[in-house]
Amino acid sequence: MKQSRLNAPMGLLIDRDKPVSFSFEGQRFSGYEGDSIASALLANEQWLLSRSFKYHRPRGPLTMAGQDANTLVQLGGEPNVLADRENIREGIQVEGQNYNGSLENDRDAYLGYFGRFMPVGFYYRSFFKPMGVWDKWEGFIREKAGLGKLDLEFTPEYYDKQYRFYDLVVVGSGPAGLSAALTAAEAGASVLIVEEQPIAGGALSYHRFDRSGRQASELREDLLARVEAEPRIELMTEAVCNAWFSDNYLPVIKGKRMYKVRAAECIVASGAFEQHVVFRNNDLPGIMLCSAAQRLMKWYAVKPGNRAVVLTGNDEGYLTALDLLEQGVKLEALVDMRSDGAAPELAAALRDHGVRIIEGSTVYEALPTRGNRKLRGVEVRRIAGQGKVAEHAQQIDCDLLCMSSGFMPAYQLLCQAGAQLSYSDEAAAFSLSGLPEHLHIAGSVNGVYELEAVLADGQRAALRALKNLGHPVDEPGKVSCQRQVNYHWPIFSHPKGKDFVDYDEDLQAKDIVNATRLGYRDVQLVKRFSTVGMGPSQGRHSALPTARLVANATDRSVTETGVTTARPPFAPEKLAHVAGRIFDPYRRTAMHRRHLALGAKMIPAGNWQRPAFYGPADQRDQCIHAEASHVRNKVGLIDVSTLGGIEIRGPDAAEFMNRIYTFAFLKQPVGKTRYAVLTNDHGVVIDDGVACRISDDHFYVTATTSGVDRVYRDMTQWNAQWRLDVDIYNVTSAFAAVNLAGPDARKVLEKLINDLDLSSEGFPYLAYREGQLHGIPVRLLRVGFVGELGYELHVPSSYGEALWDLLMEAGAEFDIRPFGVETQRLLRLEKGHIIVSQDTDGMSHPGELDLGWAINRKKPFFVGCRSVDIMMAQPLSRKLVGFTLPAESRKPEEGHLVIKGDDVSGNVTSCEYSPAAGCIIGMAYAAADDAEPGKQISIRVDGGEMVQADVVSLPFYDPDNLRQEL
């Protein structure tokens, strides 16, 4: 189809040298690179884009800014795409939404004639009885409503997250935002500007601020040139600041990435949403906000109509009228709801063009073409009182109606931060108060509309932010603005209805009033009963008329009524943004290079990289079995630097340990280690480790690799309540550590340490010592996680490589070999040692894990003690058991289900072939009555095959612990 465009400089976003072809409803259309789907269709005079949710009424663009649901379309397999935000791409296939049959001839359009049978909240009142009737109606109602079609064969795409930190984040790139950003950056602050639209400048990019129309474009060019030249400013367009959380934590969505932004100071210069006028058929294609028409012309060079009427309650409508005239649109009339009209110079400018100005009047009804597909004219009447019109009407033929009843602040982020939105019924003006200390507002969101005042307000907000940042600045003065932009009552209910307050939900003025008559006087309850403001636009245009209607119906003011609560997110976000790849720290131990040199196959463990085993990746099992046999028969060395390390120091250190962990620690001897189990308030095991008592007031505790941050957080949180005299430090990164294990471990260590008695009598099992290893200070723990004679050596992390090299050199004559974490997991499995979060889950309590021995029942308190007592007093429903299978059997994998009869009784948590046992060994949760040795459990493996495993006593290897106590 042939498209028509306005001449340059109209069309800031399009590249006329790059045509793009696409299809809509099976018909080919063309546009230009930079066009949105909506602008390209309107350029081809395709005004019908979609249908409404409830009545299937034809809909066209309202805002041209992605702020309404009128432009929801189906883009391939993705529904609910905003056509005025999504750009066209070569060959894309677009369809409308919410219709039955075709977009032009919707077989469900008849639903509009049955509006009287679908009053507000009809689904609540009609389908709740008899019991279960809703289940029969729900499918039918949802099918009639539409809401697009999901592609269940959709291939997930890549989404991710990134962290950013700034001195100042400015939300909005209008004149206030740009002024604020420049003021802050020129003072030395790092600044991020977040702009929702594809073009910076806010209203400067489309609005006419003066009679000549030159002021906005010249100012925008100047401000953007200064921004581009300022290295401290980063400008991010097509990015939505989707929420405000404590301490200026701002999730910003751009494309397929969510930026998790932290700002020391934040300025919201988000502007204001232009408001519509409520009258009959105010949703027809061809009716749009004044700002939408201006965006069409300035951004996309699209002529919005041929014969226009402007309906306004402020001077902005006059400026829009001048834009329309300048671009060749015939202006049939300007209808001003105010009786005193606009500023004299603006009225004179229109009259100079021969435009008829009708003051003190409104559009009472829009007249449609056949099938309501397009606007063909309007009926204008004089305003006779609040919401009332005179009997006499005049009809004006037109194909475009631009309307503006005023502006409502884009208050959502600010109210999420706890600000209070107030409204003056007398002045018809908004104000925001109660902002947090480091959050500021500027521009029209702050009730400032005159351009010079807007610039000054941006500078004022920046100076306040700079002062908080510690910059030497003068106290900014207050900026005032007397310009009135809101008409006090732009609602003209029609006896025949179809006067829409909420376009998303097809809600009419009478629906809101009737909700109050049914007893829902609170605006929050009106929202939930009527669903007003619950659609995609989230009340951007329905919140104010709803508050006015509720206030009027209940004899209150809008201030008393208020508006509905604003909650995150500000704009719809895909689940992919939330589920996308998160920031993944890549941590290496001090010995990382040594592992690579030895041919280690690295795997992630928490956020660390650890050797899984050493050798070719395709020989995993052979390498692991060889490493395990070597540890059992000679000596092996493993890097355990990733173990969490926490220091507890202070006079109350023992008392603190006694409260945190399940075991007793008050009388733990100095120079001894003790197994430490941690439970939460619910009695669930959430971590374990080894506690070393270095002195009376000093403990060194290890924690699991992935759990140490949580343990440290919980410790500090609990002590904020207990107020014990202790210092708690997370020293995980401060230490490098290895485990030297095997029958020859002592021989290797004796070659390097001369100042300690390493004999079994001088350094017994579970003892703790400190010494020097070739001048390196070392903490030694005599522990046996892998079930052999073993020592953990903890040294300052800067000595990590030196420690590894010394041990490998000293152990050469004993054929020392490194082993990896997968081998360690096999060795500990042979000893029946659990790994928290692998062999436990969110419900595992000590009784299920046979950890009753690790709980001191005599001490008065530990975290989770009451819950542990309650759960362990109950009969067990499941238990973690050891099982074996013949070597030739199908090996279960972790997560495979344990089946008892027709029920699932548990799951496999660990399973490997054991060279030491000569069979497959594993641990699994099983029904309590199957937990005794000698029983059998049924495990369903891949392919649905069932294998019968024998329940055995733990451990599988060296049950008398003779080897680790050598």
Side-chain angles (χ1 to χ4, degrees), residues 560-758:
E560 292 172 323
T561 301
V563 295
T564 54
T565 304
R567 297 183 177 90
F570 170 69
E573 63 186 35
K574 297 182 180 180
L575 290 176
H577 284 116
V578 180
R581 185 186 68 83
I582 61 172
F583 174 63
D584 189 11
Y586 184 88
R587 303 181 70 181
R588 297 174 173 177
T589 71
M591 307 162 203
H592 184 82
R593 291 186 299 175
R594 296 295 185 263
H595 305 318
L596 297 181
L598 291 166
K601 173 68 172 66
M602 306 300 292
I603 60 170
N607 53 25
W608 294 88
Q609 290 291 303
R610 294 192 70 181
F613 55 87
Y614 296 81
D618 59 354
Q619 298 179 25
R620 172 191 181 275
D621 290 349
Q622 300 95 307
C623 292
I624 292 173
H625 296 161
E627 289 174 9
S629 295
H630 199 84
V631 173
R632 294 280 183 235
N633 295 289
K634 294 186 177 182
V635 62
L637 184 66
I638 183 173
D639 181 358
V640 294
S641 303
T642 65
L643 278 176
I646 298 176
E647 298 264 7
I648 313 293
R649 296 173 183 258
D652 293 332
E655 175 64 23
F656 179 82
M657 290 290 294
N658 212 46
R659 295 186 189 186
I660 284 286
Y661 290 104
T662 60
F663 230 157
F665 291 92
L666 285 175
K667 297 181 180 179
Q668 179 181 348
V670 173
K672 291 287 187 178
T673 68
R674 183 163 290 176
Y675 182 54
V677 176
L678 181 65
T679 57
N680 63 14
D681 283 332
H682 305 292
V684 173
V685 175
I686 58 173
D687 205 84
D688 68 348
V690 174
C692 313
R693 192 161 194 176
I694 298 175
S695 66
D696 287 341
D697 58 0
H698 185 189
F699 286 80
Y700 175 57
V701 193
T702 64
T704 59
T705 296
S706 59
V708 62
D709 290 335
R710 176 182 179 176
V711 173
Y712 174 70
R713 184 175 64 246
D714 287 354
M715 284 181 169
T716 55
Q717 180 179 339
W718 277 109
N719 203 44
Q721 300 178 43
W722 298 337
R723 298 175 180 261
L724 296 175
D725 189 2
V726 293
D727 291 324
I728 307 168
Y729 301 98
N730 185 345
V731 295
T732 303
S733 298
F735 286 90
V738 296
N739 184 10
L740 182 69
D744 293 333
R746 183 181 289 114
K747 298 175 183 177
V748 175
L749 209 55
E750 285 174 338
K751 294 185 65 176
L752 298 171
I753 296 180
N754 301 316
D755 60 343
L756 288 177
D757 180 1
L758 298 177

Side-chain angles (χ1 to χ4, degrees), residues 343-532:
E345 65 273 13
L346 291 178
L350 289 188
R351 290 192 175 100
D352 289 345
H353 285 85
V355 175
R356 179 165 53 130
I357 299 176
I358 308 173
E359 296 179 347
S361 301
T362 187
V363 171
Y364 189 51
E365 180 178 1
L367 307 174
T369 60
R370 186 173 179 274
N372 292 333
R373 292 186 181 89
K374 185 73 164 62
L375 174 72
R376 66 173 176 84
V378 295
E379 180 189 286
V380 177
R381 299 193 187 193
R382 287 198 60 80
I383 299 174
Q386 180 173 294
K388 299 178 181 179
V389 295
E391 290 294 326
H392 176 72
Q394 57 177 309
Q395 181 175 322
I396 302 175
D397 294 337
C398 61
D399 61 6
L400 172 66
L401 174 63
C402 301
M403 56 182 171
S404 176
S405 72
F407 295 84
M408 186 174 191
Y411 62 90
Q412 285 80 356
L413 296 181
L414 302 165
C415 288
Q416 289 170 22
Q420 177 67 42
L421 178 68
S422 301
Y423 179 81
S424 168
D425 292 84
E426 294 76 20
F430 289 93
S431 61
L432 283 150
S433 59
L435 292 167
E437 181 181 359
H438 299 285
L439 180 63
H440 318 275
I441 55 177
S444 55
V445 72
N446 195 29
V448 179
Y449 292 93
E450 294 171 352
L451 189 52
E452 293 302 322
V454 167
L455 294 170
D457 203 38
Q459 186 179 39
R460 175 202 56 79
L463 291 174
R464 292 195 63 184
L466 287 169
K467 187 174 182 180
N468 287 346
L469 290 170
H471 292 263
V473 295
D474 296 330
E475 183 68 30
K478 186 176 181 180
V479 176
S480 61
C481 177
Q482 303 302 318
R483 186 173 180 180
Q484 186 170 343
V485 296
N486 288 322
Y487 184 71
H488 70 281
W489 192 266
I491 304 171
F492 304 94
S493 301
H494 198 284
K496 293 183 180 179
K498 302 302 184 285
D499 40 16
F500 292 100
V501 171
D502 189 330
Y503 295 92
D504 298 6
E505 306 286 338
D506 275 348
L507 287 168
Q508 305 164 62
K510 65 180 181 182
D511 294 324
I512 307 302
V513 174
N514 287 338
T516 65
R517 290 172 178 168
L518 290 168
Y520 299 98
R521 294 173 52 85
D522 189 283
V523 72
Q524 306 287 358
L525 297 178
V526 170
K527 173 180 178 178
R528 282 148 185 81
F529 183 68
S530 67
T531 70
V532 65

Side-chain angles (χ1 to χ4, degrees), residues 59 146 277 658 747 820 862 890:
R59 289 286 166 83
V277 182
N658 212 46
K747 298 175 183 177
F862 62 85
R890 289 280 301 276

Side-chain angles (χ1 to χ4, degrees), residues 46 58 80 101 131 156 219 225 229 249 280 400 402 427 501 596 722 754 763 765 776 827 870 933:
Q46 174 65 43
N80 302 323
M131 186 66 70
L219 178 60
Y249 168 51
R280 178 168 167 77
L400 172 66
C402 301
V501 171
L596 297 181
W722 298 337
N754 301 316
F763 193 178
Y765 182 53
I776 301 173
L827 295 170
I870 292 172

Side-chain angles (χ1 to χ4, degrees), residues 30 181 214 282 343 554 584 589 736 841 890 907 965:
S30 63
R214 291 189 296 270
N282 61 342
T554 58
D584 189 11
T589 71
D841 56 32
R890 289 280 301 276
N907 63 281
E965 296 184 9

